[in-house]
Amino acid sequence: MKNIDSYSHVRGESLFVDDLITRQDTLYGLVFDAPVAHGIIKQIDYSEAESIEGVIKIFTYKDILGENQIGGIIPDELLWTKNEIHFWGQPIAFIVATSEAIAKKARKLIRIEIEKLPAITTAKEAKAKNSFINAPRSFHLGDTDNAFAHCDFIIEGETFSNGQEHLYLETQGCYAVPMENGNIKITSSTQGPTSVQKITARVLGVPMHKIEVDVIRLGGGFGGKEDQATPWAVMAAVAVQHLKKPVKFVLNRHDDLRMTGKRHPYESTFKIGLTKDLKITAFEAEFLQNSGAAADLSPAIAERTLFHATNSYYIPNVKTTVLSCKTNLPPNTAFRGFGGPQGMFVIESAIAKAAHIIGVEKERIQEANLLDENDTFSYGQIATQVEAKNTWRTAALNFKLEKIEHEVRDFNAQNTQFKKGVSIMPITFGISFTNTPMNNARALVHIYQDGSVGVSTGAVEMGQSVNTKMLQVAYKTLGIHPSKVKLETTNTTRVANTSPTAASSTADLNGKAVLKACETLISRLSEVAANMLNTKAGEVNFKNDAVFVNNKKSPITWEDVIAQAMLDRVALTENAHYTTPVIHFDKTKEKGHPFAYHVYGTAITTTTVNCLTGTYEIDSVKIIHDFGKSMNLGIDIGQVEGALIQGIGWMTMEEISYNKEGKLLSNALSTYKVPDIFSVPKTVEIAPLETKGNDMAILKSKAVGEPPLMYGIGAYFAIQNAVKAFNPNYEPKFHAPFTPEKVLMGLYE
Ligand code: MTE
Ligand code: HPA
Ligand code: MOS
């Protein structure tokens, strides 16, 4: 089954926030933001800006009737700042005008006087100055001190991984419309409609029921709209509350790039201990997370770094610590992988450095330590249905790893200007929100009297095709043609108190709720059909738009049963609630069973480096991925491809750059390079691993949104191997992205 949005996407008919038909009296918003990263506001003069024809009002913190607080996990972030500036791009005021052009003109006329203060831009500086978001977190397993005492090799090192811009095609935006009695309806490009509703109610000082949030679909989110779609919607809503007119606010690309947070840069140190037979017996790491100026989701992201710090390996003695460092950058936020990729880059770097020093190939160490059934993760969960070795071996076998490596050695022996490198990247990713209470979802299913069906869930469609999966669950369970099922917008009045669409768990959580609702409807309809056919409900089932009795087709259609159910006054609506069983986590002990299951996979990456220029191409990425039993392989392979390219971009070319004053230099697509059609791997092969699937995955089809991003880490080490093949004096460094400039320096150091 194709993505149900594909036709309207291709025809340009799909609706996004900016496509909404606006009311005639609509006004337009624009943020006036801080032009320094740290300082005290001495004076602001809005008079000239306000005097322009068409400027309706400029809103500041003084106009907030509720609480000036948008922090989610920690209440440490103002909607509009008062006197202090904490990052370049921090919202100070909100200009509302009759057009965007007028608002832009007005923005240039605001005069601000600031006493500048020194800015912290790196996590290391923050740590030195004791500037943190919250207390550090540490996971412990076994006894690393004792284990290091018995190691044959101990290797220490440091790593850096840069941030990453989400670059969703649709920028942040919303349209807020006043309804009657002070109610406001907000259409938002958000992954978290409930967060938008909750924070809007808090800032406006009204109950949540006065705020309705509707989401049609997103032109991409990638985590960037889990928390950071909220402030824009709240600003528009404050304006609506005062002006009683609709306000549209869609950020232009420059404003979006400057004002929003990104993937967290990490500076980390590691110590890894191995025995002669290459068993990793001890691992310690300290992760410095550059959180930016407010908590946002940083504490949860930091936690996931610890969960994935040992990737696909079993290490019996582990001590990992993460510090969320408060800096003067825009608050960094969720990004596909949610801190996991940053953790995995460190263990892969540690293994690469150990291999270099010991003088073995990295993959020998990787393979010797792959996770096995009943191994313990550092957070206490026992690994079951483990596919780490299976995906590794299947990849090596099916893709003829030995042949690939042989060809690369041959190529390198025969060429001086070009060198090739290969790497293997196993991944293990935990599925569930790490915060157990968030693992819940609901679905509301209506069967209309003509037999057509409307499905509402808490899931937000953002290109990952979750709506298609929800539709598949509904039509299969109801036994009707897919064209009879419609996926409704995501709306807080139909499905309330939702968790954001995130953690790759949306299809599992919402899909299970859809399944439950449809099963309940079918059990009611079975009674109706049994009465019509003088049989027992247990003998009835629904298939191909018809009723079957003991698997023999009856003359009664789906529509007949629905019509009879109306006459019998049987409820044709069902609301179901699902929560993930089994999972739990005790933060006081840092132990538990936080994940419903894990997703596994292995990627083999081959690259060619031009040793004159430092430029490189990714020749191929070949992946064995654990989809469980995929319910839609086309969609799932699309997710692997997209995530892989995003991961390669993060590891190789996407270079976020702030200057010492905290100003974003990579503030446009001319200075921030993302993968394009020329830089994607020449070949991508993705093959599903044959497995039983997992019962906690929807229809045994495992979550797929985030895990494959981490295959991209393989590109870093493939390039590194090519550099090593050219320059025997190269000392491996772990400083991502591995841009052509860094490659060139590595080739000739
Ligand atoms: N795919 C597309 N096309 N667009 C997106 O914004 N977001 C990713 C992933 N795949 C994203 C995407 C992220 S960060 C997550 S958490 C998951 O989709 C969320 O959706 P799921 O839970 O339905 O997998
Ligand atoms: N993943 C993604 N988003 C989240 C999580 C998580 O584990 N927890 C809270 N938001
Ligand atoms: Mo995804 S980073 O959990 O939105």
Side-chain angles (χ1 to χ4, degrees):
M1 175 162 205
K2 283 184 197 149
N3 179 325
I4 54 173
D5 281 347
S6 46
Y7 289 102
S8 62
H9 277 357
V10 170
R11 295 162 67 96
E13 290 169 355
S14 300
L15 297 180
F16 298 85
V17 170
D18 206 33
D19 300 313
L20 289 176
I21 295 171
T22 48
R23 245 169 63 172
Q24 218 173 354
D25 54 347
T26 295
L27 300 169
Y28 296 83
L30 189 76
V31 167
F32 170 66
D33 60 303
V36 302
H38 195 195
I40 308 287
I41 300 174
K42 289 292 165 195
Q43 210 198 318
I44 310 186
D45 181 2
Y46 295 107
S47 56
E48 216 181 322
E50 279 167 337
S51 70
I52 298 188
E53 169 95 35
V55 171
I56 305 297
K57 184 172 164 67
I58 299 179
F59 291 89
T60 68
Y61 71 92
K62 292 177 187 155
D63 299 299
I64 291 173
L65 301 182
E67 215 185 318
N68 184 9
Q69 184 50 250
I70 61 167
I73 299 177
I74 300 173
D76 68 348
E77 193 175 354
L78 305 180
L79 180 69
W80 293 308
T81 193
K82 285 186 189 169
N83 310 315
E84 277 185 51
I85 291 169
H86 295 286
F87 63 93
W88 204 302
Q90 183 172 16
I92 298 170
F94 187 59
I95 307 158
V96 175
T98 51
S99 79
E100 216 179 293
I102 292 171
K104 272 190 183 161
K105 213 155 122 191
R107 180 159 76 176
K108 290 201 186 106
L109 298 174
I110 297 173
R111 307 264 171 266
I112 185 164
E113 239 178 79
I114 300 163
E115 182 192 320
K116 273 207 216 172
L117 296 169
I120 303 176
T121 58
T122 68
K124 259 192 200 152
E125 283 170 78
K127 187 189 173 193
K129 292 186 175 143
N130 253 313
S131 170
F132 300 111
I133 295 286
N134 58 354
R137 296 272 299 270
S138 291
F139 285 8
H140 295 265
L141 181 71
D143 178 350
T144 48
D145 289 339
N146 181 49
F148 278 123
H150 297 93
C151 282
D152 298 307
F153 308 103
I154 296 175
I155 292 101
E156 294 183 68
E158 57 181 35
T159 72
F160 172 76
S161 62
N162 206 333
Q164 185 177 22
E165 166 57 41
H166 301 87
L167 215 86
Y168 23 67
L169 286 180
E170 180 198 28
T171 54
Q172 305 272 4
C174 65
Y175 183 46
V177 181
M179 311 303 278
E180 54 187 25
N181 300 323
N183 299 327
I184 298 175
K185 179 174 176 181
I186 304 171
T187 305
S188 165
S189 179
T190 180
Q191 293 174 237
T194 293
S195 315
V196 170
Q197 181 194 21
K198 182 169 139 185
I199 309 285
T200 301
R202 184 201 284 169
V203 175
L204 269 57
V206 302
M208 279 172 77
H209 71 207
K210 291 214 165 265
I211 309 296
E212 172 185 351
V213 179
D214 192 76
V215 184
I216 310 168
R217 64 165 62 72
L218 274 51
F222 307 111
K225 295 170 181 171
E226 182 174 339
D227 250 30
Q228 298 210 357
T230 301
W232 327 113
V234 179
M235 289 178 200
V238 171
V240 171
Q241 186 183 32
H242 285 267
L243 303 172
K244 314 228 168 355
K245 294 234 170 104
V247 174
K248 183 169 165 179
F249 179 28
V250 175
L251 274 71
N252 63 60
R253 183 64 70 182
H254 270 108
D255 282 5
D256 189 308
L257 290 171
R258 184 176 68 252
M259 294 187 219
T260 63
K262 315 191 183 305
R263 184 188 293 285
H264 295 74
Y266 271 58
E267 290 168 278
S268 311
T269 49
F270 63 78
K271 182 175 171 188
I272 189 168
L274 300 92
T275 56
K276 272 203 226 53
D277 58 356
L278 302 182
K279 284 278 180 202
I280 305 170
T281 51
F283 178 65
E284 288 183 357
E286 183 181 76
F287 302 98
L288 302 185
Q289 176 197 60
N290 187 334
S291 312
D296 192 271
L297 290 161
S298 294
I301 292 161
E303 182 182 55
R304 201 176 261 280
T305 300
L306 299 184
F307 282 121
H308 295 94
T310 56
N311 189 17
S312 301
Y313 310 107
Y314 171 62
I315 306 178
N317 302 285
V318 178
K319 189 165 103 191
T320 49
T321 300
V322 62
L323 294 96
S324 292
C325 302
K326 190 168 177 171
T327 62
N328 297 107
L329 300 186
N332 285 315
T333 194
F335 196 136
R336 209 168 192 171
F338 207 73
Q342 291 95 321
M344 290 192 200
F345 180 65
V346 176
I347 181 74
E348 293 301 325
S349 299
I351 294 173
K353 185 158 183 182
H356 182 75
I357 287 174
I358 298 169
V360 295
E361 281 180 350
K362 178 175 183 248
E363 63 195 68
R364 295 283 82 79
I365 301 180
Q366 291 175 296
E367 195 176 7
N369 293 281
L370 288 172
L371 200 66
D372 222 332
E373 203 68 11
N374 296 322
D375 282 340
T376 309
F377 289 103
S378 66
Y379 45 92
Q381 184 159 343
I382 307 296
T384 54
Q385 287 190 288
V386 181
E387 306 291 357
K389 289 184 175 168
N390 196 3
T391 56
W392 178 288
R393 286 173 189 160
T394 309
L397 199 71
N398 292 16
F399 300 130
K400 304 193 169 60
L401 177 62
E402 277 182 24
K403 186 162 169 266
I404 294 174
E405 291 184 324
H406 190 80
E407 283 167 4
V408 165
R409 271 195 302 274
D410 273 3
F411 180 94
N412 287 347
Q414 285 160 25
N415 289 275
T416 32
Q417 189 190 335
F418 292 93
K419 294 289 179 191
K420 283 188 187 287
V422 193
S423 79
I424 311 184
M425 181 66 201
I427 59 143
T428 298
F429 197 80
I431 302 302
S432 287
F433 284 97
T434 55
N435 182 22
T436 302
M438 291 175 79
N439 294 284
N440 70 82
R442 279 150 306 287
L444 178 67
V445 179
H446 297 315
I447 303 173
Y448 293 100
Q449 48 193 292
D450 65 353
S452 66
V453 174
V455 177
S456 295
T457 74
V460 168
E461 176 58 53
M462 51 185 186
Q464 87 281 41
S465 313
V466 69
N467 278 354
T468 305
K469 290 187 173 179
M470 297 305 97
L471 185 141
Q472 284 182 274
V473 173
Y475 92 75
K476 284 184 181 166
T477 314
L478 298 174
I480 55 178
H481 194 267
S483 62
K484 288 201 168 75
V485 182
K486 178 194 171 202
L487 260 290
E488 305 290 353
T489 61
T490 315
N491 187 297
T492 53
T493 67
R494 272 180 271 114
V495 181
N497 306 320
T498 57
S499 290
T501 285
S504 304
S505 303
T506 320
D508 279 359
L509 296 171
N510 292 275
K512 289 276 189 177
V514 173
L515 183 72
K516 222 166 140 179
C518 291
E519 281 173 350
T520 307
L521 286 164
I522 281 296
S523 76
R524 285 209 289 270
L525 293 172
S526 297
E527 298 283 350
V528 176
N531 270 335
M532 294 167 82
L533 291 160
N534 284 320
T535 178
K536 291 198 207 84
E539 329 245 275
V540 167
N541 69 316
F542 290 79
K543 219 165 49 183
N544 303 335
D545 297 313
V547 178
F548 285 66
V549 179
N550 291 324
N551 290 321
K552 263 190 64 191
K553 194 172 175 179
S554 80
I556 292 184
T557 65
W558 167 258
E559 281 77 8
D560 296 335
V561 180
I562 302 305
Q564 188 60 44
M566 282 297 290
L567 296 175
D568 294 350
R569 295 181 287 175
V570 170
L572 292 175
T573 287
E574 188 62 25
N575 176 50
H577 175 77
Y578 174 78
T579 60
T580 313
V582 182
I583 54 171
H584 58 87
F585 193 72
D586 181 350
K587 278 194 190 180
T588 62
K589 300 196 175 78
E590 301 288 26
K591 295 283 181 197
H593 187 109
F595 299 118
Y597 57 88
H598 289 82
V599 169
Y600 298 90
T602 297
I604 301 175
T605 304
T606 312
T607 178
T608 306
V609 172
N610 181 336
C611 301
L612 266 184
T613 62
T615 54
Y616 46 76
E617 287 184 348
I618 310 292
D619 305 327
S620 70
V621 183
K622 301 185 177 194
I623 297 170
I624 297 291
H625 188 82
D626 163 27
F627 295 98
K629 291 235 169 295
S630 175
M631 66 188 285
N632 193 322
L633 200 57
I635 282 170
D636 285 349
I637 285 188
Q639 284 292 294
V640 177
E641 289 175 347
L644 167 72
I645 304 308
Q646 217 163 22
I648 292 176
W650 171 55
M651 278 286 110
T652 64
M653 64 173 68
E654 297 185 38
E655 196 165 33
I656 301 264
S657 175
Y658 290 94
N659 70 9
K660 287 249 179 311
E661 280 78 52
K663 181 182 186 176
L664 181 68
L665 301 177
S666 51
N667 66 348
L669 291 182
S670 53
T671 47
Y672 186 74
K673 179 97 185 85
V674 289
D676 57 17
I677 195 66
F678 301 106
S679 46
V680 297
K682 301 288 164 285
T683 309
V684 176
E685 252 181 83
I686 299 157
L689 183 77
E690 295 292 329
T691 65
K692 290 206 308 275
N694 187 292
D695 286 330
M696 277 191 267
I698 182 64
L699 306 179
K700 299 190 185 258
S701 181
K702 283 191 170 182
V704 69
E706 293 168 287
L709 182 130
M710 283 142 277
Y711 292 134
I713 296 173
Y716 189 99
F717 294 97
I719 294 169
Q720 185 164 70
N721 283 339
V723 173
K724 281 174 71 168
F726 180 82
N727 180 5
N729 298 320
Y730 170 70
E731 277 303 322
K733 274 163 276 299
F734 307 99
H735 197 281
F738 212 162
T739 56
E741 290 88 337
K742 288 185 204 160
V743 171
L744 193 61
M745 289 191 281
L747 289 167
Y748 294 101
E749 73 179 24

